[in-house]
């Protein structure tokens, strides 16, 4: 018998399944499985990446000062309360590592993002699930699921994969109703797609138990480069900085993120296109008898008759080179999550589903 064993909880982690990117034998692939920006990053970000190439032998800046100041400037936030990470995934990891351990509970919603239970288990803590109401977070259920062992409550708003969100009053009620010693983490990865929404920044400014996480992976089209950030009370950010690797972000990542953030016209155009095409896509699917909740993000959760139909549609789309996301792993086997692509991409999805219904290849 080997004496080499991992920490408790680790073997209970189900390996993360990423959205697919390839189909055997099909060349013209349209990947709509990972909520990526169909237009890619700002040209300014690409230029910034190229400009850092000559310096890759140098270690990067460790305190992320220029990027934090840029985020502070654009979002109207105190840079001293911002921490940057390798995707918002790393901020989620830091939070679990720093605040939850064996015997502690990490609460999330029924169809919450897969990284929450993974990071909770990696820290030795126990993930706890609160039921949703018709695919919308239920604050009463979350509060009822809290115990004196609850250390973290993760809520994506808007949520992935449902696309739904709760309002500011409900979020405030959740923050103020948590047991003492518990932190509310508002995961605002899709905040930019909502319009008139601060992602929870206001709450994270005024409460001592609220942290907001953000990402450059969605609107800013930099998922491949891995950059995210968190904002919250100074004492919590100070704790997270103690476990952050000093060189967790490269100059390339930081320069790209800052350039992407400062190119407001690119960001605004992507938001406008997403809003327009999201409405079009859900309307066209509804006309084909496929309902979806009103999405606040850059994807739609299409609901089919049952699991068999969802899988058949997925296979049909795949044969046409269109890759969407199965979400049975999220407890939604009758659904497919479809990223809002560009106009041609959205049309291809609708045409593909129509041809499925008509029994055409
Ligand atoms: C995509 C996504 C993120 C972003 O993850 P990164 O690590 O920043 O790429 C965070 N939360 C949710 C709910 C997401 O869907």
């Amino acid at each position: 018998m080997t004496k080499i064993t991992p920490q408790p909880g680790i073997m209970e982690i189900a390996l993360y399944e990423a959205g697919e990117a390839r189909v055997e034998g099909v060349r013209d692939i349209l990947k709509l499985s990972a909520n990526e920006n169909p237009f890619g990053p700002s040209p300014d970000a690409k230029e910034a990446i190229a400009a850092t190439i000559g310096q890759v032998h140098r270690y990067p800046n460790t305190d992320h000062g220029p990027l934090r100041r840029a985020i502070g400037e654009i979002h109207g936030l105190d840079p001293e309360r911002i921490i940057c990470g390798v995707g918002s995934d790393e901020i989620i990891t830091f939070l679990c590592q720093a605040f939850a351990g064996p015997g502690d509970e990490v609460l999330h919603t029924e169809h919450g993002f897969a990284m929450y239970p993974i990071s909770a288990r990696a820290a030795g803590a126990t993930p706890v699930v609160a039921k949703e109401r018709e695919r919308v977070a239920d604050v009463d259920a979350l509060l009822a699921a809290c115990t004196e062992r609850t250390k973290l409550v993760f809520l994506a708003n808007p949520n992935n994969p449902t696309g739904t969100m709760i309002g500011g009053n409900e979020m405030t009620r959740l923050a103020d109703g948590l047991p003492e010693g518990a932190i509310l983490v508002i995961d605002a990865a899709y905040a930019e797609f909502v319009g008139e929404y601060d992602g929870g920044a206001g709450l994270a400014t005024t409460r001592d138990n609220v942290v907001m996480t953000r990402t450059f992976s969605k609107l800013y089209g930099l998922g491949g480069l891995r950059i995210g950030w968190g904002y919250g009370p100074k004492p919590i950010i100070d704790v997270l900085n103690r476990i952050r690797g000093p060189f967790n972000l490269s100059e390339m990542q930081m320069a790209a993120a800052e350039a992407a953030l400062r190119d407001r016209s690119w960001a605004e155009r992507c938001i406008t296109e997403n809003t327009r095409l999201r409405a079009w896509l859900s309307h066209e699917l509804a006309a084909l008898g496929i309902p979806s909740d009103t999405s606040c993000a850059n994807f739609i959760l299409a609901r089919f008759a049952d699991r068999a139909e969802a899988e058949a549609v997925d296979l049909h789309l795949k044969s046409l080179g269109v890759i969407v996301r199965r979400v049975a792993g999220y407890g939604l086997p009758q659904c497919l999550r479809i990223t809002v692509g560009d106009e041609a991409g959205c049309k291809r999805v609708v045409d593909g589903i129509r041809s499925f219904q008509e029994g055409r290849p």
Side-chain angles (χ1 to χ4, degrees), residues 192-194 270-280 297 340:
E192 293 88 353
F193 299 108
V194 178
C270 294
I271 292 169
T272 302
E273 277 301 87
N274 180 71
T275 306
R276 179 175 78 85
L277 292 165
R278 178 178 66 193
W280 183 84
V340 177

Side-chain angles (χ1 to χ4, degrees), residues 20 60 89-90 130 146 173 188 205 245 264 277-279 281 337:
E20 292 177 79
D89 281 358
E90 194 180 36
C146 284
R173 192 162 74 82
T205 300
R264 298 318 303 163
L277 292 165
R278 178 178 66 193
L281 181 61
R337 192 192 68 192

Side-chain angles (χ1 to χ4, degrees), residues 277 280-281 342-354:
L277 292 165
W280 183 84
L281 181 61
D342 61 10
E343 187 164 320
C346 289
K347 287 216 167 92
R348 214 168 135 186
V349 169
V350 172
D351 290 345
I353 295 180
R354 192 179 290 121

Side-chain angles (χ1 to χ4, degrees), residues 92 95-96 106-109 116 152-156 183-185:
I92 295 167
L95 284 160
C96 287
V106 174
L107 182 60
H108 61 86
T109 49
Y116 312 147
L152 289 163
V153 179
F154 283 102
L155 180 53
I183 300 171
L184 171 63
V185 183

Side-chain angles (χ1 to χ4, degrees), residues 16 34-35 85-90 92 112-116 156-161 187-190 213-218 222-223 226-229 299 330 337:
Y16 183 85
N35 301 340
V86 180
S88 43
D89 281 358
E90 194 180 36
I92 295 167
F113 188 42
M115 284 312 296
Y116 312 147
N157 204 44
N159 184 52
N160 172 19
D187 179 340
Y190 300 96
T213 61
R214 305 289 289 252
T215 184
F216 286 92
S217 301
K218 305 290 156 60
L222 291 169
R226 317 300 306 125
I227 315 134
W229 53 283
F299 57 85
Y330 280 96
R337 192 192 68 192

Side-chain angles (χ1 to χ4, degrees), residues 113-285:
F113 188 42
M115 284 312 296
Y116 312 147
I118 291 177
S119 292
R121 286 209 166 94
T126 306
V128 176
V129 176
K131 281 279 178 203
E132 294 172 5
R133 215 184 292 145
E134 291 288 306
R135 298 169 301 282
V136 181
D138 180 346
V139 168
D140 291 316
L142 282 159
L143 290 174
C146 284
T147 73
E148 73 276 8
R149 292 183 298 278
T150 306
K151 291 293 154 63
L152 289 163
V153 179
F154 283 102
L155 180 53
N157 204 44
N159 184 52
N160 172 19
T162 56
T164 62
M165 69 183 296
I166 61 170
N169 291 343
E170 279 296 273
M171 194 61 92
T172 303
R173 192 162 74 82
L174 177 59
D176 292 346
L178 291 188
E180 228 179 318
I183 300 171
L184 171 63
V185 183
I186 304 172
D187 179 340
Y190 300 96
E192 293 88 353
F193 299 108
V194 178
E196 298 300 308
Y197 171 54
D198 70 358
L203 214 52
T205 300
T206 55
R207 299 299 192 277
D208 62 11
N209 66 338
V210 178
V211 172
M212 168 183 75
T213 61
R214 305 289 289 252
T215 184
F216 286 92
S217 301
K218 305 290 156 60
L219 172 65
Y220 293 105
L222 291 169
L225 217 47
R226 317 300 306 125
I227 315 134
W229 53 283
Y231 167 79
K234 188 82 174 28
I236 295 180
I237 299 301
D238 286 346
V239 167
L240 302 184
N241 268 317
R242 286 170 192 270
I243 54 171
R244 176 176 69 78
F247 305 111
N248 65 328
L249 286 185
S250 67
E251 290 296 336
M252 197 174 278
Q253 287 166 297
M254 291 187 273
E258 182 173 348
L261 190 62
R262 291 192 185 282
D263 187 351
R264 298 318 303 163
S265 73
W266 183 267
E268 293 303 331
R269 287 215 308 274
C270 294
I271 292 169
T272 302
E273 277 301 87
N274 180 71
T275 306
R276 179 175 78 85
L277 292 165
R278 178 178 66 193
W280 183 84
L281 181 61
S282 65
H283 179 265
E284 293 296 308
L285 292 183

